[in-house]
Amino acid sequence: MSHVYLSRELTPGAMAALRSLDLPVVVHDDPDRPPSRDRLLRDAAGASALITLLTERVDDELLDAAGPDLRIVANCAVGYDNVSVAAAHARGIVVTNTPGVLDEATADCAFGLVLATARRLVEADRFLRAGTDWIWGPQLFVGLDLSAGATLGIVGLGRIGLAVARRAAAFGMRILATGRRAAGAEAAAYGVEQVELPRLLAESDVVTLHCPLTPDTRHLIGPDELAAMKPTAILVNTARGPIVDESALVDALRRGEIAGAGLDVFEDEPRVHPALLEMDSVVVLPHIASAGRATRDAMGRLAVDNVRAVLAGEPPRTPVQA
Ligand code: DGY
């Protein structure tokens, strides 16, 4: 029987669920680093299922290396821009992702970045740790008030965007949004106003990105869009790095076209543009938005359950459509 290949060890709960399927399992032996490309191609050979992460490029080469037994690529992430879905479907291979189970964790992190950047929390923490002489002052680390009618612009109001809207509504923010759910009943309950991107950029104090990375959204936020934002505005990205033209973002921050950025994702991960690391107005995180314990467990279990279903001849739970 051909094996299930995992490019990284998942949570103990997800691994136990996988082992209970009583299938041969091959797990990449370094829990902290992805396999090299050569190693991936070698270890995937002959697999019936691949459980991949966003660090693996799943393309013609990998699918050919896996061979004719491969029936499913279960990507353990909601985003699947690393997977050539067309190449998989052309071979009759199912592709699945992990939607739904990470919405709240991702929204928590996005809103954490909104707060940290708007209220300069990380900058203030660094200031104290540096042993700086200080005393309370009326202008010490003043930032953007979120609850005083600030406007949040949500680009891509899907499941995660809606979870962010819920948090923003609780803070009393005015909410603008683009995206398919922006006109729905739940969005209306949070006071979301559906708008086009130009108006969202012009009127928002904080712009937060929640759209998938597709050919249409690559560099959706470039020089013109950044210039269209308020000079006091903040950009938050917990979606995918290439949605923002990172060099243009650096230029916009340098020129004061926008006031700050909270970034969990980068254009060329794991590289971070060195200029971003030097700016006090920028908060950077190493792509951890879904990194809640229960959330990561749920993602792993869902990926495993998709493998179980497909290998048992059942429909996958969360298939990616063509
Ligand atoms: C995703 O799920 O797409 C995140 O980026 C990783 O959890």
Side-chain angles (χ1 to χ4, degrees), residues 54 76-79 98 102 239-240 287 290 296 299:
L54 55 87
C76 192
V78 66
T98 60
L102 45 70
R240 282 292 182 270
H287 203 148
S290 69
R296 284 286 163 85
M299 291 167 68

Side-chain angles (χ1 to χ4, degrees), residues 19-223:
R19 304 233 186 252
S20 76
L21 301 182
D22 222 15
L23 297 165
V25 172
V26 174
V27 191
H28 178 56
D29 51 16
D30 186 340
D32 300 319
R33 312 286 309 175
S36 67
R37 185 71 182 174
D38 282 352
R39 182 82 192 274
L40 175 64
L41 295 175
R42 216 169 40 242
D43 289 351
S48 55
L50 302 180
I51 299 184
T52 51
L53 305 179
L54 55 87
T55 42
E56 280 75 59
R57 201 175 69 249
V58 181
D59 56 6
D60 284 303
E61 184 187 37
L62 177 58
L63 297 170
D64 285 344
D69 287 350
L70 185 64
R71 291 167 60 190
I72 172 170
V73 173
N75 206 46
C76 192
V78 66
Y80 51 86
D81 46 281
N82 59 309
V83 180
S84 171
V85 178
H89 286 173
R91 291 166 172 80
I93 298 164
V94 172
V95 178
T96 60
N97 65 341
T98 60
V101 295
L102 45 70
D103 303 344
E104 302 301 327
T106 304
D108 283 346
C109 188
F111 215 78
L113 280 172
V114 171
L115 280 166
T117 314
R119 293 297 309 277
R120 304 172 61 188
L121 303 182
V122 178
E123 189 187 347
D125 176 272
R126 273 197 301 269
F127 164 89
L128 269 195
R129 285 175 199 275
T132 319
D133 188 30
W134 72 284
I135 186 115
W136 189 92
Q139 292 303 321
L140 187 65
F141 284 106
V142 291
L144 170 71
D145 289 302
L146 295 180
S147 305
T151 299
L152 180 71
I154 302 175
V155 178
L157 198 84
R159 275 182 304 258
I160 297 172
L162 210 44
V164 172
R166 195 177 316 126
R167 286 154 179 76
F171 271 68
M173 295 182 83
R174 172 178 173 243
I175 307 169
L176 305 177
T178 68
R180 68 197 147 92
R181 291 184 202 225
E186 191 177 350
Y190 305 139
V192 173
E193 190 182 344
Q194 186 179 30
V195 295
E196 297 298 324
L197 185 61
R199 190 172 148 210
L200 181 147
L201 294 172
E203 294 185 18
S204 297
D205 297 294
V206 180
V207 173
T208 181
L209 307 179
H210 298 289
C211 50
L213 173 62
T214 67
D216 287 343
T217 62
R218 183 172 293 273
H219 284 194
L220 179 71
I221 305 298

